[in-house]
Amino acid sequence: MSDYRPPRRVALIVLVVVVATGCLALGYWQWTRFDAVGGNGQNLGYAFQWPAFAFFCVYAYRRFVKLEAEEAQADDPDGIRASKPQEPIEIPEDLLPSRPRVALDDDAGADLEAKQIQEYNEYLAQLSRGSDRSGQ
C-alpha cells in the first residue's frame, strides 16, 4: 500500500479532532452539571453519552480509512478486496419454509377473482352473524 494521502485526508483528520474534542468537552461540561447542586441523572447520562459520540467519530474515521485502503488495493490488477467474497453465496432452498399451496378446481382457475370475491363475501357474512350491532 502506498503512503499517498489525498488532500482531503488532512481536512478529515482536523474535522475528527475538532468533533471528538468538542464531544469530550461537552461530556466534561455535563459531568460538572451533574456534580452541581441541581444536577440529576439526565446530566450523568449525557456525561457518558458524549464520550461515546467522540469514540464513534474516531471509529468511523478509522473505518473510512480502512475501506479506502481496501478500495485502492482492489484497484490494483492483482489486488483482492478483503471485504468482498470471491464468488456469490447461494441461499439453500430448504432454509425458509415453503408457502402453503391452495388447491384450485380446474374451472376455478379460470375465474379466480370471482372465487376470491365470493370467499370474501362469505367471510363478511360470517362476521355480521357473529356480532349483532343492529340492536344498539
Side-chain angles (χ1 to χ4, degrees):
M1 184 172 99
S2 68
D3 288 331
Y4 172 71
R5 292 189 174 136
R8 68 177 182 215
R9 176 81 51 95
V10 175
L12 286 175
I13 291 172
V14 169
L15 178 68
V16 167
V17 168
V18 167
V19 170
T21 304
C23 287
L24 292 175
L26 286 169
Y28 176 74
W29 174 68
Q30 286 293 336
W31 182 260
T32 58
R33 296 273 301 172
F34 172 70
D35 282 343
V37 175
N40 56 16
Q42 184 177 12
N43 295 119
L44 181 64
Y46 285 140
F48 292 125
Q49 184 179 7
W50 283 111
F53 288 156
F55 171 76
F56 177 75
C57 182
V58 172
Y59 169 78
Y61 174 74
R62 297 275 303 174
R63 181 73 178 143
F64 172 75
V65 169
K66 183 180 177 184
L67 290 175
E68 194 176 56
E70 285 180 2
E71 185 177 310
Q73 185 180 10
D75 288 342
D76 291 341
D78 56 331
I80 298 171
R81 191 172 187 164
S83 63
K84 191 173 184 181
Q86 292 295 335
E87 49 189 61
I89 299 172
E90 187 173 323
I91 299 175
E93 290 183 22
D94 60 343
L95 180 68
L96 298 174
S98 61
R99 290 185 173 186
R101 304 270 182 206
V102 177
L104 297 175
D105 299 336
D106 292 338
D107 59 273
D111 199 15
L112 181 62
E113 185 177 356
K115 182 178 179 183
Q116 289 175 341
I117 291 173
Q118 180 185 1
E119 288 175 359
Y120 181 68
N121 287 335
E122 289 173 5
Y123 173 70
L124 290 176
Q126 181 184 7
L127 285 177
S128 69
R129 284 191 299 268
S131 64
D132 183 36
R133 293 188 167 197
S134 60
Q136 291 181 350

